[in-house]
Amino acid sequence: MAEDLNWAIGGEAGDGIDSTGKIFAQAQSRAGRHVFTSKDFASRIRGGYTAYKIRSSTERVQSVVDRLDVLVALTQRTIDENLDELHDRSVVVYDGERSWEAEIPGEIDAVDVPLKSLAEEAGGAIMRNVVALGAVCAIVDFPVEKLDEALEKRFGGKGEKIVENNKQAARLGAEYVEENYDGFDYSLETTDNDYVLLNGDEAIGMGAIAAGCRFYAGYPITPATDVMEYLTGRIDRFGGHVVQAEDELSAINMALGAARAGARSMTATSGPGIDLMTETFGLVATSETPLVICDVMRAGPSTGMPTKQEQGDLNMLLYGGHGEIPRFVVAPTTIAECFHKTVEAFNLAEKYQTPVYLVSDLALAVTEQTFAPEEFDMDAVEIDRGNVVDEDSIDEYLDEQGRFQPHYDAADGVSPRAFPGTTAGAHMSTGLEHDELGRRTEDTEERIDQVEKRQRKVETAQNEEDWSPREFGDPDADTLVLSWGSNEGAIVEAMDHLETEENLSVRFLSVPYMFPRPDLSDAIEAAEETVVVECNANGQFADVVEHDVLTRVERVTKFDGVRFDADELADAIRDVAADADEVTA
Amino acid sequence: MSSDVRFTDFKSDKQPTWCPGCGDFGTMNGMMKALANTGNDPDNTFVVAGIGCSGKIGTYMHSYALHGVHGRALPVGSGVKIANPDLEVMVAGGDGDGYSIGAGHFVHAVRRNVDMTYVVMDNRIYGLTKGQASPTSREDFETSTSPEGPKQPPVNPLALAHAAGATFIAQSFSSDAQRHTEIVQQAIEHDGFGFVNVFSPCVTFNDVDTYDYFRDSLVDLAETDHDPTDEQEAKEVIMDGETEHMGVIYQDEESVPFSELHGLDSNMAEIPDGAPEDAMDLVREFY
C-alpha cells in the first residue's frame, strides 16, 4: 500500500481553518491523490478549538486513522489536542513570532515559520495560513505550484491581484522551509488522475437534482444545512426552487404541498427537526404522498451535541409517529452512495407513494472524499414516477359516478396518482382514515382495507426491489460484521489491515436499507460470531437485527461524538474474532 | 378552464355535517361562487384546509384538495402554488387553526406573498372541541376553559397581517352572500396573498358574536369613501377598536407575487425521464 499522509491544520474558529484545509485538499485531489477529510469543530462561530484533517494517498482512502504526520498549529491547544496522534516522524509547523510559546515534545520536528511576516511580505497578514500551506509543501516534497489551481478557485472572485498575492505567499512559505531546514523524509507522489472532491450533503443535493427534485423546503440546522446551501441557486437552473421556511413544520408541509402538485420534492433536517416533522410525516403517509425526508443525524437527544457524530435516530425513523406508518428508511453508507441512494429514494417514494426517510449522519455530511467522476454517472440515472394517470388513462380509476379514486384498493397496494390539472382527476386527500375516494370514513371494513392496502405497498416493494447489503471480505469467514451508515469505510480499512498484518479475514455486510431490511438470517447462522458496529449507545440496529433473526449479536458501539477510526475498529473486530476462535475450538 | 363552469360544479356530493345555521355554509358557498366567477374549474383548483369545522371544507367542495394537520394549511398551499403556478390555490382555516397554532405560519405566508387566497372562518370560538376560547374570543367571553373570560386581549388578525406586510387585507360576513362573494373574488384576482377574515358565526357555542350582532354592527366599506389603496386609511380601519368593518381594507397595487419575484413560471411536475442534459456540469464543479 502506498504511503498515506495525515495532515491537519488547527486553531480557533474564525482563523480560516476550513478554507485553508479545503485549499490543500483540492490541491491534493487535483494532483491525482485520493483525499479523505474530517473536521473537528465546536458549535460556535468564533473561538474554541477547530481542526481540519486530511488523509491522502495515491490509493483510495476512506477513513481516518489515529496518526498525524504534519500538523499546522495556529494555537498551543492544537498541539495539546493532537499530542497522542503525533509520532517520531511527525512535523509541527508553528509561528514562533506569535505570542504563545510552543511546547512541542522533543522527538517531534518543530518547524518555526514566521507566518505573519512572510504573509505581510506577500501583501497582507491575512495570508498567513497560505504561507503555512507553502511551508507544508516543502516539508512533504509536494510541488508548491500545485496549490495554484485551488488558490485560483478560492480567491478568483476577489480579483487577479489577490490570487497572485496568495500564490506568492505560498512560495515564500516553501522557500523559507527549504532555506532554513534540512530535508524531511516525506515525498508525496502525484498521479495524472482527475478526481472530484465532495461531501455527503453535497452528494445528496446533487442526487436530488439528477433525480428530478424541483422543490426543496428546509430550515437551517447542523449538519443538514449544506444540502440546502448546495441546492440554492443550482436547482433554479433546472426550473426548481428552494424555500427557506420559518420552521421545520412549515418545511415539511411545503414539501408535501409541492409533492401533491406533482413535483419531486424534498426536505432535509437533523434529529430535532425530525421530531418536529413527525406530525406531518403521518399525514404524508396516510395521504399517500411521495416525499423524501432526509435526516442528517447528529448526537442527541434534545439539542445534544450539534457538531458531533452519532447514529442515534434509527428508532425514531423506524417507529416515530403515532399509529402505524408504512415507510421506507434508506441509509447511504458512503459519500458516493449518498448520491445514488438519493436517486433511489425519489423512485421509491413515487413508485410506492410513500414517504422515504433518507438517513445520513454528520460523519458523511462534513467529510469530503475524492471519487472518479464516473462514480456519478448521470446517464445511468433512471427516473420512475410510478402509476401516474393522465386524461387518457384515468377512466380505469373512476367509480360508477365518474369520481376519481386516488386510494383505489389495488392488488399491489399502489393506487393511481393524478397531478392537479388532470381532467376528471379532482379529489380530496386527508390524514383522516378515508375510503377509496379519499373521503373520511370510520367504516370498519374500509378502515381495514386501507390499512392493508398501505401495508401491501411495502410487501410489493419487498418483493420487487433489491434490498441486498453491500458485501465485503471473505464470505466464509467465522466472524461476521454488520453495520450501517458512515462506518463502512473505516470497517473496510480495518479489514484490510487485519488481512495484511494479521492474516485475519472477516465477512462484512454493510446494510443501506433499514426498512425494509435484507434478510440476514443465513449470514448470521453461517458465522460463529456476529458483531454489529454503530455510533450509538444502545445498539439500535443490533436490536432490530436480533428481532429479525432471533439470535443474539455482539455490539461495538461508540457515542462520544466522534466517528470510528480504522485502527480502533481493527482492535474491536480482532477481539470478536478471538471469541469466534474460542467457539470453534 | 371552461367558461360554462357553475359554482355547483365545486360542490361535492357529501352533505356537510356542520350544525344547521352554521356560518360556514355561507362562507363556503361564497368561495365556490367566487372561484366559478373568476373562471376556474375543479380540475385547476387546489383547496387546502387545516383542522376544525373549517377544515371540513375540502370534503364538501369538489376540487383537488388536501385536508392537513392543525394550523399548517398555509405552508401546504404555498408549496402547491410554487410547484405549479398554473393552479388556483385557496386555503381555508379557522380562527384557532390560523391565529393560534398556525400564527407563525400566517405571518410568514403573508411575508412570502405567494399568489393564493386565504379565507379564515372566524367564529371567535373553538367549535369542534365543543366551545373553548379561541384567539379572537373577547376578553370577557366565558367558556368551559375560561369561566371568567380569557382575560387577555383578542388577536387582531388584520393588524397582524398588516404588520407582516400584507398586500391584500379584507373582511367579510358569511351571511351577506353577495358582498362575501365579491370580496373573495377580489382576493382571488389580487396578484399575491389575498387574505380574507370572514365572520362566520357559530350558532351552537357563541351567543355573543351572533348573526344579529354582526348584522347590526358591521360597517360596509363599500358604502363609505374608503380607499383601500391608501395605506394610512387602511391602518385607521385596522386599528379602529370601536367599529367592525366589512370589505377590502387594504390592497397594494404594486404587489409582486412570490413566483414572479423569483422568476418561477414552470410546472415543477414536468421533469425529464432521466437526469437533466447538463447534469455532468454538477459533477465537474467538484474538480
Side-chain angles (χ1 to χ4, degrees):
Chain A
M1 171 142 187
E3 191 173 42
D4 57 343
L5 176 80
N6 290 279
W7 174 94
I9 181 168
E12 289 193 356
D15 275 347
I17 302 296
D18 257 24
S19 57
T20 312
K22 178 102 180 180
I23 290 166
F24 197 53
Q26 273 173 341
Q28 296 272 303
S29 164
R30 295 303 289 141
R33 290 178 65 83
H34 272 295
V35 173
F36 187 92
T37 75
S38 61
K39 290 178 194 172
D40 197 352
F41 63 114
S43 186
R44 56 195 285 181
I45 310 292
R46 294 194 68 90
Y49 168 71
T50 182
Y52 189 108
K53 296 189 175 183
I54 297 173
R55 183 168 173 220
S56 79
S57 169
T58 52
E59 287 179 23
R60 190 170 157 76
V61 279
Q62 46 190 340
S63 82
V64 287
V65 291
D66 54 9
R67 194 182 87 234
L68 207 46
D69 305 315
V70 178
L71 173 65
V72 178
L74 301 182
T75 57
Q76 177 64 38
R77 187 168 169 198
T78 306
I79 296 169
D80 300 341
E81 291 273 351
N82 295 285
L83 214 48
D84 58 346
E85 296 194 358
L86 297 173
H87 53 85
D88 55 10
R89 282 179 65 206
S90 295
V91 183
V92 174
V93 177
Y94 71 104
D95 184 351
E97 288 181 349
R98 292 196 74 179
S99 56
W100 55 279
E101 283 294 321
E103 289 172 28
I104 302 167
E107 71 272 22
I108 291 164
D109 272 325
V111 177
D112 179 355
V113 184
L115 301 176
K116 189 162 168 257
S117 308
L118 292 173
E120 279 166 352
E121 194 182 319
I126 196 167
M127 293 182 293
R128 62 194 174 98
N129 291 0
V130 178
V131 175
L133 283 184
V136 170
C137 287
I139 290 166
V140 301
D141 195 17
F142 181 74
V144 69
E145 302 76 36
K146 290 200 179 288
L147 292 178
D148 288 355
E149 215 176 315
L151 290 170
E152 282 161 18
K153 195 165 179 170
R154 174 72 180 82
F155 299 109
K158 297 186 175 179
E160 189 68 20
K161 176 93 173 109
I162 302 282
V163 173
E164 285 311 312
N165 287 351
N166 275 282
K167 288 180 182 173
Q168 177 63 11
R171 279 159 183 70
L172 289 177
E175 281 164 19
Y176 185 88
V177 169
E178 278 157 12
E179 286 165 14
N180 294 284
Y181 290 89
D182 287 337
F184 296 89
D185 56 353
Y186 288 97
S187 177
L188 284 198
E189 286 175 64
T190 58
T191 76
D192 293 332
N193 294 328
D194 270 333
Y195 297 125
V196 291
L197 179 73
L198 72 170
N199 71 30
D201 277 355
E202 290 165 337
I204 286 172
M206 193 166 77
I209 293 178
C213 174
R214 293 294 173 267
F215 185 87
Y216 178 95
Y219 188 76
I221 183 169
T222 303
T225 312
D226 275 358
V227 176
M228 180 156 66
E229 290 185 350
Y230 176 83
L231 289 171
T232 301
R234 287 190 182 81
I235 203 170
D236 297 66
R237 304 208 298 255
F238 301 91
H241 195 65
V242 170
V243 179
Q244 182 175 321
E246 58 271 26
D247 54 35
E248 286 87 348
L249 303 152
S250 177
I252 188 172
N253 277 283
M254 278 194 204
L256 162 66
R260 298 263 9 138
R264 282 197 157 189
S265 178
M266 177 166 88
T267 183
T269 185
S270 189
I274 289 290
D275 288 355
L276 292 175
M277 290 181 179
T278 303
E279 176 195 39
T280 299
F281 181 77
L283 167 64
V284 174
T286 307
S287 62
E288 302 194 65
T289 307
L291 192 65
V292 177
I293 302 148
C294 176
D295 178 19
V296 186
M297 295 180 289
R298 65 189 210 184
S302 189
T303 27
M305 296 196 289
T307 62
K308 300 297 171 189
Q309 162 71 354
E310 195 167 281
Q311 297 174 301
D313 297 354
L314 183 60
N315 286 339
M316 176 71 181
L317 300 171
L318 289 175
Y319 309 116
H322 62 279
E324 294 162 304
I325 305 176
R327 66 191 82 196
F328 296 122
V329 184
V330 177
T333 55
T334 68
I335 291 167
E337 282 298 298
C338 284
F339 172 83
H340 297 294
K341 288 288 176 282
T342 301
V343 175
E344 210 176 313
F346 278 100
N347 285 338
L348 286 172
E350 287 205 316
K351 274 174 83 175
Y352 299 101
Q353 296 168 32
T354 300
V356 178
Y357 274 133
L358 180 68
V359 195
S360 175
D361 55 46
L362 180 130
L364 283 175
V366 304
T367 299
E368 291 150 309
Q369 197 180 344
T370 39
F371 297 92
E374 302 83 66
E375 291 236 25
F376 307 100
D377 180 5
M378 293 293 177
D379 292 336
V381 170
E382 285 174 18
I383 291 178
D384 186 343
R385 307 214 66 184
N387 188 11
V388 177
V389 295
D390 59 17
E391 276 81 352
D392 303 323
S393 58
I394 200 165
D395 286 359
E396 198 186 325
Y397 298 105
L398 303 181
D399 70 0
E400 57 285 355
Q401 284 153 281
R403 300 175 299 191
F404 178 61
Q405 302 173 89
H407 302 284
Y408 179 79
D409 193 6
D412 62 359
V414 181
S415 311
R417 202 151 68 100
F419 295 163
T422 307
T423 306
H427 66 272
M428 158 92 177
S429 294
T430 172
L432 292 166
E433 192 53 272
H434 45 256
D435 59 15
E436 289 178 279
L437 290 169
R439 293 168 171 201
R440 174 194 190 147
T441 183
E442 288 173 2
D443 179 280
T444 49
E445 281 180 26
E446 283 176 336
R447 160 73 177 176
I448 290 167
D449 285 350
Q450 286 295 319
V451 170
E452 288 182 346
K453 186 194 95 73
R454 293 193 292 265
Q455 297 289 356
R456 219 153 52 232
K457 294 194 284 193
V458 177
E459 287 161 31
T460 304
Q462 262 171 320
N463 295 330
E464 288 193 2
E465 311 291 331
D466 181 5
W467 305 100
S468 307
R470 290 154 64 83
E471 169 129 25
F472 301 87
D474 173 9
D476 298 319
D478 290 339
T479 304
L480 172 68
V481 177
L482 300 175
S483 189
W484 65 292
S486 59
N487 315 312
E488 181 183 292
I491 295 172
V492 169
E493 289 222 353
M495 288 166 65
D496 285 347
H497 177 82
L498 290 171
E499 179 92 50
T500 51
E501 306 286 318
E502 302 177 33
N503 200 24
L504 171 67
S505 51
V506 298
R507 182 184 192 192
F508 168 37
L509 299 177
S510 180
V511 183
Y513 303 105
M514 298 291 103
F515 192 82
R517 288 183 291 278
D519 183 353
L520 299 167
S521 47
D522 286 350
I524 289 172
E525 194 154 319
E528 301 291 348
E529 286 282 346
T530 299
V531 57
V532 178
V533 175
E534 56 192 314
C535 275
N536 56 49
N538 289 322
Q540 296 178 25
F541 183 50
D543 284 345
V544 296
V545 169
E546 284 179 346
H547 166 271
D548 288 353
V549 300
L550 300 178
T551 302
R552 296 292 288 182
V553 297
E554 297 296 317
R555 288 150 206 249
V556 171
T557 59
K558 188 177 185 190
F559 48 95
D560 57 1
V562 182
R563 67 183 303 157
F564 286 108
D565 71 43
D567 299 340
E568 68 184 317
L569 279 176
D571 291 343
I573 293 168
R574 189 192 307 109
D575 289 348
V576 176
D579 289 346
D581 283 347
E582 280 172 29
V583 174
T584 320
Chain B
M1 263 182 260
S2 55
S3 56
D4 55 352
V5 171
R6 285 145 38 100
F7 91 90
T8 48
D9 293 335
F10 283 98
K11 252 192 170 129
S12 83
D13 50 14
K14 202 89 166 165
Q15 284 305 310
T17 58
W18 290 320
C19 304
C22 175
D24 292 351
F25 287 97
T27 308
M28 180 174 75
N29 281 338
M31 289 164 67
M32 295 190 291
K33 281 179 191 161
L35 281 166
N37 292 351
T38 47
N40 291 290
D41 67 32
D43 289 330
N44 84 318
T45 303
F46 203 111
V47 175
V48 189
I51 299 290
C53 294
S54 64
K56 295 180 170 187
I57 198 160
T59 313
Y60 311 141
M61 286 178 67
H62 174 62
S63 71
Y64 284 89
L66 185 97
H67 173 223
V69 293
H70 201 191
R72 327 233 173 267
L74 283 172
V76 175
S78 306
V80 171
K81 183 68 184 185
I82 294 168
N84 186 352
D86 298 336
L87 298 173
E88 188 61 48
V89 177
M90 191 168 272
V91 179
D95 40 314
D97 189 67
Y99 308 142
S100 203
I101 187 166
H105 301 313
F106 177 49
V107 168
H108 293 279
V110 167
R111 284 177 63 213
R112 232 168 251 127
N113 202 30
V114 174
D115 187 12
M116 56 188 185
T117 305
Y118 182 40
V119 176
V120 178
M121 301 160 163
D122 183 1
N123 56 12
R124 299 180 172 176
I125 186 113
Y126 282 131
L128 206 55
T129 49
K130 300 195 187 328
Q132 298 79 28
S134 96
T136 49
S137 292
R138 293 160 191 252
E139 217 164 335
D140 57 355
F141 184 58
E142 294 167 15
T143 74
S144 61
T145 51
S146 58
E148 295 168 34
K151 294 186 173 176
Q152 52 193 332
V155 163
N156 178 345
L158 310 175
L160 201 56
H162 179 71
T167 58
F168 185 97
I169 302 171
Q171 194 152 257
S172 88
F173 178 34
S174 70
S175 95
D176 191 337
Q178 185 170 340
R179 284 292 288 136
H180 171 55
T181 303
E182 284 167 9
I183 292 166
V184 176
Q185 207 169 311
Q186 280 178 267
I188 292 172
E189 284 164 347
H190 173 69
D191 285 332
F193 188 81
F195 166 54
V196 188
N197 189 64
V198 188
F199 295 124
S200 189
C202 173
V203 293
T204 307
F205 294 109
N206 193 332
D207 53 8
V208 179
D209 300 294
T210 60
Y211 285 100
D212 283 344
Y213 163 73
F214 287 113
R215 217 172 272 133
D216 294 344
S217 60
L218 270 179
V219 171
D220 188 348
L221 292 169
E223 291 165 10
T224 70
D225 57 359
H226 178 70
D227 174 8
T229 63
D230 183 327
E231 197 180 345
Q232 200 50 43
E233 273 189 36
K235 243 188 223 168
E236 280 163 24
V237 171
I238 287 166
M239 297 314 291
D240 182 350
E242 303 291 308
T243 321
E244 314 248 27
H245 295 90
M246 171 167 72
V248 177
I249 297 164
Y250 178 65
Q251 182 164 19
D252 175 3
E253 291 182 314
E254 310 292 312
S255 164
V256 181
F258 184 93
S259 293
E260 201 181 313
L261 197 63
H262 292 275
L264 305 171
D265 51 10
S266 61
N267 176 359
M268 294 178 189
E270 290 162 7
I271 57 168
D273 295 336
E277 262 177 37
D278 37 0
M280 270 320 279
D281 289 349
L282 295 171
V283 182
R284 281 188 278 268
E285 279 182 46
F286 290 107
Y287 272 135

